[in-house]
Amino acid sequence: MPGTLIGMVGASPQKVAVFGAGYVGLVTGACLASLGHRVIVRDVLADRIEALRRGDVPIYEPGLDELIAGNAERLRFTTDVAEAIEGADIVYIAVGTPPTYSGDADLSAVWTVVDELPQIERRTVVVMKSTVPVGTGEKVRHRLDERGLQHVGYASNPEFTAEGTAIRDFLGPDRIVIGSFRDEDGEAVEALHGGVDGPVVRCDVASAEMIKLAANAALMTRISFINEIANVCEATGADVVRVAEGIGLDRRIGPAFLRAGIGFGGSCFPKDSLALKQLAANSGYHFQLLNAVIEVNELQKRRVIGKLHSHLGPLRGKTVTLLGLAFKPHTDDIREAPSLVLAGRLLAEGADVRSWDPVVDGTALHGVEIADSPEAAAAGADALVLVTEWPQLADVDWVAVGATMRNRLLIDGRNMLDPETLRSAGFVYEGIGRGPGTGGGS
Ligand code: UDX
Ligand code: UDX
């Protein structure tokens, strides 16, 4: 088993199969093709594969369409397992691992892929890109051995790509983490990343699995921390934006992931925090800090409702507009987005809910009216809630928008807008953690 070491990588074209044409699989496939590898992406969804063959990319990720089109000669798509595996040096698993009812990761799609691998004759390495509980690699190794695939290698190569910047994150990573049982398997994955400039962390499989979960947990902890500081700022009259700036300049702390707001969402943080919590609990450990991080985040999403109450009283019959639905800008992903909790709570309170988002198709939000511009969404509303900090919102003419509203109230769930601009446009402006006189309550 290799120890942890850090080095730089070299290059050589390989044949790569990627199982799963979702956010992670497509980015992985397209980026590896751009590095010169021959890539085939396999998915069970025939419609998705058909669309990709026509050049229609099923997800919104900046730069992905161009990367797929630009590398078409080295990038193919299929639903056929045998075609995908034929001649493959490396087989990536990038299927989804959503939470089960218990909070554990649902690995059924991973096992489906492992079980549908044919009797590969050549030396191939199966590489786990999907986020999985620590110990999964050990189990997959065992299953491969049981199936007579001892010669097939196994490595864990977790993804650290954030949606919206996934291509940049893949091709210019902070680090590449590769865990393997055998050195040669880790070396094969390292060689695949030739041309990617970033430090490589080589380690055992369990540590690689834990690095992914721990990195996400660390980032979530920072967000819940700054959100709690924001809540105390609100109670005491400080401005969390200034506070975050002031503490972030401490080199030991750093400025990233200190943006207070209405909580984290997305396909990774919520499910990975639950998975790590369950992983610890299943091993007999109560992960107290992580439990608190999760609880703070749940409460944070609901604080906006309290703010609306304090300004509007009962919400029955009031029109509330959500500006942005995606869990963050530059993606069409609404998995675990705070907008879903907000819309659900508002509808339950009897409010009429409207929304605008530049890329999300909001039809999945039942009962929410969808408008095609922030202006149209705001007309006649009693309150606006800025949910996603889309750059388009920086260009809105708030004086004109305010003139069309029944009541000029804006709750800025991302502290994106300038409080003074809104106030001089006649709005009651409230951010998150920005006490009165600092950008907080009117
Ligand atoms: C990924 C990871 O795999 C997950 O573990 C990580 O934590 C977040 O990102 P993502 O790419 O976002 O998931 O998932 P999704 O967009 O749902 O795509 C998964 C794809 O796998 C889908 O297109 C689905 O059809 C496909 N799939 C699923 C298969 O091809 N085979 C299966 O057996 C199951
Ligand atoms: C995350 C990780 O960053 C990435 O490394 C991993 O591979 C997948 O999960 P992603 O979920 O795409 O990426 O987005 P990220 O930018 O991390 O944001 C996650 C959530 O945290 C968003 O809802 C965002 O609004 C929120 N957030 C982020 C804050 O509330 N405050 C911050 O300071 C930063």
Side-chain angles (χ1 to χ4, degrees):
M1 189 181 291
T4 300
L5 63 97
I6 297 185
M8 300 298 278
V9 286
S12 85
Q14 299 187 47
K15 164 122 198 275
V16 184
V18 179
F19 279 65
Y23 285 84
V24 174
L26 284 177
V27 168
T28 302
C31 287
L32 289 175
S34 78
L35 293 173
H37 302 296
R38 281 173 301 121
V39 178
I40 180 158
V41 180
R42 186 266 177 176
D43 203 286
V44 287
L45 301 176
D47 291 355
R48 182 164 278 221
I49 292 303
E50 274 312 310
L52 284 160
R53 283 178 174 158
R54 285 195 307 272
D56 294 338
V57 179
I59 57 167
Y60 176 81
E61 178 63 43
L64 185 60
D65 296 32
E66 294 83 344
L67 200 66
I68 288 177
N71 291 284
E73 71 202 56
R74 283 183 301 280
L75 190 51
R76 291 184 297 133
F77 301 96
T78 186
T79 53
D80 188 57
V81 175
E83 187 189 348
I85 295 295
E86 174 68 38
D89 302 301
I90 302 275
V91 176
Y92 265 99
I93 300 182
V95 292
T97 51
T100 57
Y101 201 67
S102 63
D104 294 280
D106 178 356
L107 297 182
S108 53
V110 167
W111 290 121
T112 302
V113 174
V114 172
D115 289 340
E116 66 195 358
L117 291 177
Q119 284 304 316
I120 305 167
E121 300 302 334
R122 55 186 291 151
R123 175 103 185 88
T124 302
V125 184
V126 170
V127 188
M128 188 63 73
K129 196 57 141 174
S130 298
T131 304
V132 293
V134 180
T136 303
E138 194 77 50
K139 291 181 187 153
V140 174
R141 179 68 272 163
H142 187 66
R143 189 95 141 225
L144 291 171
D145 293 347
E146 271 180 350
R147 294 196 50 212
L149 295 170
Q150 292 89 343
H151 56 288
V152 170
Y154 181 85
S156 163
N157 174 219
E159 53 92 10
F160 302 99
T161 48
E163 288 177 29
T165 55
I167 291 165
R168 190 190 70 199
D169 295 344
F170 190 103
L171 295 174
D174 289 351
R175 78 301 208 186
I176 300 162
V177 173
I178 302 168
S180 63
F181 297 110
R182 297 186 291 229
D183 268 340
E184 64 259 40
D185 298 335
E187 270 150 27
V189 180
E190 188 167 342
L192 195 67
H193 289 80
V196 177
D197 194 11
V200 178
V201 178
R202 290 275 302 277
C203 57
D204 58 281
V205 172
S207 299
E209 292 166 340
M210 184 54 101
I211 287 170
K212 164 69 190 196
L213 295 174
N216 275 356
L219 294 169
M220 286 181 266
T221 302
R222 281 175 75 96
I223 298 172
S224 279
F225 166 76
I226 200 66
N227 281 337
E228 289 222 280
I229 292 288
N231 300 342
V232 180
C233 283
E234 246 167 48
T236 55
D239 181 351
V240 74
V241 175
R242 294 274 87 82
V243 173
E245 189 186 329
I247 61 175
L249 283 166
D250 185 323
R251 270 176 298 182
R252 294 166 302 177
I253 298 172
F257 274 73
L258 286 179
R259 280 179 285 115
I262 50 174
F264 56 76
S267 67
C268 283
F269 283 177
K271 91 170 162 58
D272 291 349
S273 55
L274 282 180
L276 180 54
K277 172 184 152 166
Q278 286 310 331
L279 177 73
N282 296 342
S283 323
Y285 184 73
H286 178 64
F287 200 148
Q288 208 164 331
L289 180 60
L290 189 58
N291 275 291
V293 165
I294 295 167
E295 189 181 0
V296 167
N297 196 55
E298 281 312 310
L299 295 174
Q300 199 68 15
K301 293 184 227 169
R302 288 160 174 80
R303 276 179 78 83
V304 168
I305 304 293
K307 288 175 186 285
L308 290 170
H309 275 298
S310 72
H311 292 283
L312 299 176
L315 299 177
R316 177 162 297 283
K318 301 276 169 35
T319 300
V320 180
T321 294
L322 304 180
L323 295 174
L325 292 171
F327 81 97
K328 66 178 212 178
H330 310 295
T331 177
D332 61 351
D333 200 341
I334 54 166
R335 286 179 281 183
E336 301 294 330
S339 62
L340 300 175
V341 171
L342 280 175
R345 284 295 322 135
L346 290 167
L347 289 168
E349 302 233 357
D352 295 322
V353 185
R354 293 218 204 118
S355 71
W356 161 83
D357 191 288
V359 296
V360 172
D361 165 15
T363 46
L365 282 91
H366 300 293
V368 175
E369 195 185 320
I370 310 295
D372 60 9
S373 69
E375 292 79 7
D382 295 285
L384 306 177
V385 181
L386 192 154
V387 179
T388 315
E389 64 274 38
W390 282 105
Q392 290 88 327
L393 294 171
D395 301 328
V396 169
D397 178 345
W398 295 107
V399 175
V401 164
T404 68
M405 291 178 67
R406 189 151 61 193
N407 177 55
R408 278 174 283 185
L409 168 65
L410 189 142
I411 310 288
D412 186 350
R414 298 292 178 186
N415 290 339
M416 174 192 181
L417 303 173
D418 173 39
E420 283 322 310
T421 306
L422 269 292
R423 291 200 182 112
S424 48
F427 276 81
V428 171
Y429 171 92
E430 193 170 341
I432 305 290
R434 318 190 79 185
T438 64
S442 55

